[in-house]
Amino acid sequence: MDKTSGFKIRGIYKSLRVRFFVIVFLTGLISCLVMHSVILDSYENRAVNVKSTEAQTQLRILANHLIVSNYLQDTSSEVINAELDMLANLYDGRVIVINDDLKVVKDTYNISQGKTIISEEVVNCLKTGSKGTVSKYDQANGYIEIVTPIIESEDIEEEDVSVSGKVSEVVRGVLLTSVSTETIAVTLKILSRRAQTLEIMIILIILLFAAWVSIMLLRPFDRITTAINDVKAGYTDEPIVGPNYLETEQIINAFNALLRRMKVLDDSRQEFVSNVSHELKTPITSMKVLADSLLAQEDVPNEVYREFMTDIGAEIDREDKIINDLLALVKMDKKASGLTITSVDVVNLTEIVLKRLRPIARKHNIELTLESKRAITAEIDEVKISLVIMNLVENAIKYNKDEGWVKVELDADHQFFYVKVIDSGYGIPEESLDHIYERFYRVDKSRSREIGGTGLGLSIARNAVLMHRGTIDVSSVVDEGTTFTVKIPLTSTLALTK
Ligand SMILES: Nc1ncnc2c1ncn2[C@@H]1O[C@H](COP(=O)(O)OP(=O)(O)O)[C@@H](O)[C@H]1O
Ligand SMILES: [Mg+2]
């Protein structure tokens, strides 16, 4: 068997539709067959019973006649002989009359006359003197064997008044009769043949029904597959609808939810791409303008040249910064598994970051202080948390008044460590607070650009915090200052890399 046909067979075996079909079909088939055998069996039982009861009654009457005409002693009675033959003919069988010495007195087949019969039933009947008739159905050979006792009744001659009038019964002999059941067998055969034709028809109907049911009932699943394939192929991104079952509705709902999510992701990606293009284009446009205006003039003085080239250099720096931020953001967008977790001294880390930012603070005459309440060691990604602190403190310096201050506070409890960045800057208006983490969002576009912002810093910071399963919060009063609070678990759920 080659591989593909193996898969095909496995596929058929796993198919819900095929299983459904097989179950429905087998249920129908089995009940049909059971019905067949039960009905025929009960017919046979009943027919055999009726026949045997009928024969027993007649045999009992015959046994009486035998006694009355003293047949056991003298078999010459024409009437009785005729009666015996008639009965044998009627039942298409054989009647044997046996006396109490187990001798055959008469056999309608005229074979066993004078022989001794030691059949168990006959012996039993005579020895125990049982008055009941015994019948046995031999299905294989197609006859019923009936043992009928020949009973003589005599009045009890006793003085006792209380028992007088009672009758004593003595078994004088036995009638051993076999009754042919051929007619029953013939009827059974006819019935069975008819039942078979009917069964074949019923089985065909069940087959069609099972096929129809398995196709119809599972059709909604096909519809879902088709709809999902349409979406996958890109023909449509409409939600799937349709009359369905509870079960398929759950699948459809889950799929539609997935579709909505994909749409949101797609929209935000598109927006991101257009924002990126726009942001990258701005410095290039400026450079083009600067370069063009330089070229347009002849005999440009050296100082003007210098000035323009400095501006072009600044635009290049901006472009570089945007690209760097974008790269940082893209790295951040990966899963939490992208973290390189080590055990880090957070106070030390913050000091290093602040040291790098001091020159900018000094330029604006801003006082930058660090206050740490205790030593903090945490399992974090050193580079990413530096980025967080860097961005927050950088913002606090950039969006500050001259002669302002920035305070960084570090603290920890048994579960988390906290970084607070408090500034005396111009604050963030209430309506902007919800948007500051969005990519490329700036409260005041022109001022931010002047200051050299890309609008990506806080998204980078927030992503890094979320990767650590931490939170970032902001509270701000316009013209008074802003406080960012970052809370990060001390231990990572990821294993230490080092
Ligand atoms: N400490 C702060 N004080 C006032 N405004 C702030 C502060 N931090 C961030 N913002 C506002 O949030 C915007 C988004 O910040 P960010 O994502 O870092 O971008 P940017 O590159 O402009 O700094 C900034 O443009 C600024 O308007
Ligand atoms: Mg920033």
Side-chain angles (χ1 to χ4, degrees):
M1 192 191 298
D2 65 305
K3 224 173 182 175
T4 41
S5 70
F7 275 135
K8 232 175 232 167
I9 285 166
R10 225 173 97 78
I12 286 172
Y13 168 71
K14 282 182 83 177
S15 155
L16 185 60
R17 180 163 285 155
V18 171
R19 285 185 187 194
F20 208 82
F21 171 80
V22 169
I23 289 171
V24 173
F25 179 65
L26 283 185
T27 313
L29 187 69
I30 289 170
S31 41
C32 187
L33 292 180
V34 166
M35 216 157 73
H36 171 110
S37 74
V38 165
I39 287 179
L40 289 188
D41 268 5
S42 63
Y43 164 76
E44 190 179 9
N45 278 341
R46 171 127 183 84
V48 167
N49 271 342
V50 166
K51 193 154 210 167
S52 124
T53 320
E54 196 184 296
Q56 279 169 26
T57 316
Q58 293 197 344
L59 284 167
R60 235 173 277 128
I61 295 169
L62 179 65
N64 271 338
H65 289 179
L66 294 184
I67 288 294
V68 170
S69 57
N70 210 13
Y71 188 81
L72 289 172
Q73 278 74 43
D74 174 14
T75 59
S76 60
S77 164
E78 295 265 324
V79 182
I80 300 292
N81 278 335
E83 205 176 338
L84 280 169
D85 284 334
M86 201 190 76
L87 204 68
N89 275 337
L90 180 64
Y91 289 111
D92 190 15
R94 178 183 188 183
V95 182
I96 301 174
V97 184
I98 302 160
N99 68 12
D100 49 5
D101 290 334
L102 295 174
K103 279 259 155 50
V104 174
V105 178
K106 163 82 183 169
D107 175 6
T108 54
Y109 276 17
N110 289 322
I111 304 169
S112 312
Q113 243 111 312
K115 286 183 186 158
T116 307
I117 292 278
I118 45 163
S119 132
E120 195 190 330
E121 284 85 14
V122 174
V123 174
N124 265 350
C125 190
L126 280 170
K127 289 279 131 58
T128 59
S130 83
K131 315 288 182 309
T133 311
V134 181
S135 78
K136 213 173 72 186
Y137 175 41
D138 184 338
Q139 192 183 26
N141 297 315
Y143 67 86
I144 310 169
E145 190 188 76
I146 304 173
V147 179
T148 318
I150 304 170
I151 299 166
E152 184 173 4
S153 326
E154 338 179 287
D155 291 327
I156 296 171
E157 294 147 20
E158 242 176 294
E159 309 82 53
D160 195 341
V161 193
S162 62
V163 281
S164 78
K166 281 225 163 172
V167 178
S168 126
E169 297 184 330
V170 183
V171 178
R172 293 290 180 213
V174 169
L175 275 173
L176 179 61
T177 318
S178 58
V179 174
S180 164
T181 54
E182 211 189 297
T183 49
I184 297 175
V186 170
T187 316
L188 262 181
K189 211 176 267 168
I190 294 170
L191 273 183
S192 177
R193 210 174 302 131
R194 258 192 218 160
Q196 259 167 17
T197 342
L198 207 67
E199 264 159 30
I200 290 172
M201 268 156 65
I202 291 175
I203 287 171
L204 275 178
I205 291 171
I206 292 173
L207 202 77
L208 289 178
F209 177 72
W212 182 77
V213 161
S214 61
I215 289 173
M216 289 313 286
L217 278 186
L218 295 179
R219 187 158 274 179
F221 288 97
D222 291 345
R223 221 177 293 141
I224 292 177
T225 314
T226 318
I228 290 179
N229 278 337
D230 279 358
V231 172
K232 198 176 75 187
Y235 300 142
T236 173
D237 48 8
E238 291 301 308
I240 307 175
V241 284
N244 276 304
Y245 308 122
L246 216 61
E247 287 79 0
T248 52
E249 206 163 303
Q250 285 168 351
I251 300 177
I252 288 180
N253 286 344
F255 182 77
N256 285 343
L258 181 74
L259 211 62
R260 278 194 296 278
R261 217 178 109 76
M262 267 164 51
K263 237 182 197 163
V264 169
L265 281 178
D266 200 48
D267 287 352
S268 83
R269 196 198 58 198
Q270 221 138 26
E271 194 192 319
F272 179 61
V273 170
S274 91
N275 281 343
V276 167
S277 321
H278 178 76
E279 295 295 329
L280 290 178
K281 215 171 144 56
T282 319
I284 288 178
T285 314
S286 309
M287 284 188 266
K288 173 84 177 149
V289 170
L290 288 167
D292 279 353
S293 56
L294 263 188
L295 286 176
Q297 299 172 45
E298 264 168 48
D299 303 325
V300 185
N302 219 346
E303 311 84 72
V304 178
Y305 229 115
R306 269 192 169 282
E307 196 194 317
F308 274 49
M309 286 315 277
T310 317
D311 287 350
I312 288 178
E315 291 300 334
I316 290 172
D317 285 346
R318 242 182 82 67
E319 186 90 38
D320 188 52
K321 191 164 170 14
I322 294 172
I323 290 171
N324 282 335
D325 278 0
L326 275 174
L327 287 176
L329 194 65
V330 168
K331 264 190 212 152
M332 244 22 120
D333 271 348
K334 286 191 189 132
K335 299 268 135 49
S337 53
L339 289 176
T340 314
I341 302 287
T342 51
S343 204
V344 176
D345 179 344
V346 179
V347 180
N348 187 36
L349 180 84
T350 312
E351 268 164 1
I352 294 170
V353 173
L354 293 192
K355 204 161 144 192
R356 261 197 273 164
L357 290 169
R358 279 234 152 73
I360 319 175
R362 215 170 290 133
K363 211 160 80 188
H364 297 281
N365 276 327
I366 286 166
E367 187 194 8
L368 181 55
T369 53
L370 170 65
E371 186 187 316
S372 71
K373 303 224 162 81
R374 64 199 82 232
I376 303 167
T377 314
E379 291 169 12
I380 50 172
D381 185 317
E382 190 172 355
V383 178
K384 297 205 165 85
I385 294 298
S386 309
L387 265 179
V388 174
I389 301 173
M390 176 94 144
N391 273 302
L392 291 181
V393 178
E394 195 191 336
N395 282 349
I397 297 170
K398 282 196 311 192
Y399 306 109
N400 214 324
K401 306 165 194 138
D402 275 352
E403 318 278 325
W405 50 263
V406 173
K407 225 174 11 182
V408 180
E409 286 180 10
L410 292 177
D411 196 3
D413 54 26
H414 60 288
Q415 250 189 315
F416 301 97
F417 72 88
Y418 304 85
V419 183
K420 243 182 210 185
V421 181
I422 313 160
D423 68 53
S424 61
Y426 10 98
I428 305 166
E430 179 105 40
E431 65 273 15
S432 296
L433 281 179
D434 285 343
H435 302 289
I436 50 173
Y437 302 110
E438 287 168 14
R439 294 176 288 209
F440 298 115
Y441 182 83
R442 281 155 290 200
V443 175
D444 184 338
K445 278 226 170 205
S446 57
R447 180 154 65 174
S448 167
R449 193 164 288 148
E450 218 173 86
I451 295 170
T454 60
L456 292 172
L458 284 180
S459 346
I460 295 171
R462 195 174 95 104
N463 279 355
V465 169
L466 291 184
M467 280 172 91
H468 286 82
R469 295 183 172 276
T471 57
I472 180 165
D473 287 305
V474 59
S475 68
S476 183
V477 179
V478 174
D479 285 334
E480 272 183 34
T482 308
T483 303
F484 277 94
T485 311
V486 171
K487 175 175 130 183
I488 294 193
L490 287 171
T491 48
S492 165
T493 46
L494 296 166
L496 286 187
T497 337
K498 241 189 264 174

